[in-house]
Amino acid sequence: MRANRLSTAAIGIALGLALLAGAAEAQTAPPTRDDIVAKLNHFEQPAEIDIPALKLQVMERAKARIKNDPGPVNRPLIAPDLANLPTFTAQIQFDADTPIIQPASYQAVGRIADALVHASLLPYTFLIVGHVESNVKTREANAILSQRRADAIRDVLVNTFKISTKRLHPIGLGEEQFLDRARPTSAANGQLQIQTFAKLPEDGPARPAAAPAPATKKPARKH
């Protein structure tokens, strides 16, 4: 009887471990193309954001030495309107302090590319938003690094997967807009975001063909 109880307990433990392993695997499984499409495919209206101006603002704020800077936890968001856009957050691994994408993340970038050419997403442009966690580097250096990482993802999507460069707008926010404001040093702040930004401009109406010039009348010959 005791052996049977031990056997039953062992089976229960084994099943519990198997369930935990399955749950962990499900959590770490890379997202599918359909997962990404579902996150990005509910665009309502574009955000009122001037991308070149935002890039300049990020760099100016990152360089500034403000006496009363509230610190990374309480630093105001630099582009709060981004929170209103459909967003897919990707865990892309880069080599330390570089924009070099690690091979383990190639599959994730490929699935992002697959999603962007899905029929339901073809009419849209997208932001590629780079972030970085707070560390020993200066805010200016982190702003530059986040922009270079966003640029690196754009370059792979364009050069390897042939996504139109007109559809992609890379922007690095550095430490100016943490994903996890309560924990500025968390690795979660190093994640990258793909956001549905705006509709592609429609082609203008075809111009009507120019009417042929009236034929010039030849003068009558004199007899």
Side-chain angles (χ1 to χ4, degrees):
M1 181 69 71
R2 185 178 177 184
N4 287 340
R5 287 178 180 172
L6 289 173
S7 177
T8 303
I11 291 172
I13 292 170
L15 286 172
L17 290 173
L19 288 171
L20 287 172
E25 185 178 352
Q27 288 177 355
T28 57
T32 66
R33 180 203 65 172
D34 290 342
D35 293 333
I36 300 170
V37 170
K39 293 279 189 182
L40 298 176
N41 191 23
H42 49 92
F43 177 82
E44 293 181 3
Q45 61 182 14
E48 296 295 328
I49 293 173
D50 182 330
I51 298 173
L54 177 58
K55 288 182 179 181
L56 185 61
Q57 187 182 359
V58 168
M59 290 308 304
E60 286 179 345
R61 198 169 94 167
K63 287 181 193 177
R65 298 189 178 184
I66 304 171
K67 280 186 179 180
N68 298 319
D69 179 30
V73 174
N74 298 313
R75 194 170 292 147
L77 302 178
I78 200 162
D81 287 349
L82 292 181
N84 300 324
L85 295 176
T87 302
F88 169 69
T89 303
Q91 185 67 57
I92 305 295
Q93 300 295 333
F94 296 90
D95 286 352
D97 298 330
T98 78
I100 299 171
I101 303 166
Q102 293 186 1
S105 291
Y106 291 167
Q107 183 183 37
V109 179
R111 288 185 175 175
I112 291 170
D114 288 343
L116 297 187
V117 296
H118 188 274
S120 63
L121 295 182
L122 280 176
Y124 299 103
T125 64
F126 298 88
L127 296 179
I128 303 170
V129 187
H131 299 272
V132 69
E133 65 271 23
S134 184
N135 50 41
V136 295
K137 296 169 73 71
T138 65
R139 282 169 64 187
E140 181 182 0
N142 279 332
I144 292 170
L145 178 61
S146 67
Q147 181 65 56
R148 291 177 68 200
R149 286 179 171 178
D151 290 340
I153 297 296
R154 185 269 317 273
D155 291 346
V156 172
L157 291 173
V158 170
N159 297 327
T160 303
F161 297 101
K162 309 307 177 188
I163 307 296
S164 171
T165 189
K166 294 179 181 179
R167 300 179 63 210
L168 304 173
H169 305 287
I171 173 74
L173 299 184
E175 295 185 43
E176 310 312 311
Q177 186 148 313
F178 289 117
L179 293 175
D180 184 351
R181 297 181 72 191
R183 299 181 301 155
T185 59
S186 169
N189 288 310
Q191 296 177 111
L192 182 126
Q193 292 177 303
I194 307 294
Q195 298 189 298
T196 311
F197 181 56
K199 280 195 172 183
L200 280 166
E202 295 181 5
D203 293 333
R207 293 182 180 177
T216 54
K217 211 172 185 180
K218 291 183 178 179
R221 288 184 181 179
K222 292 183 180 179
H223 293 289

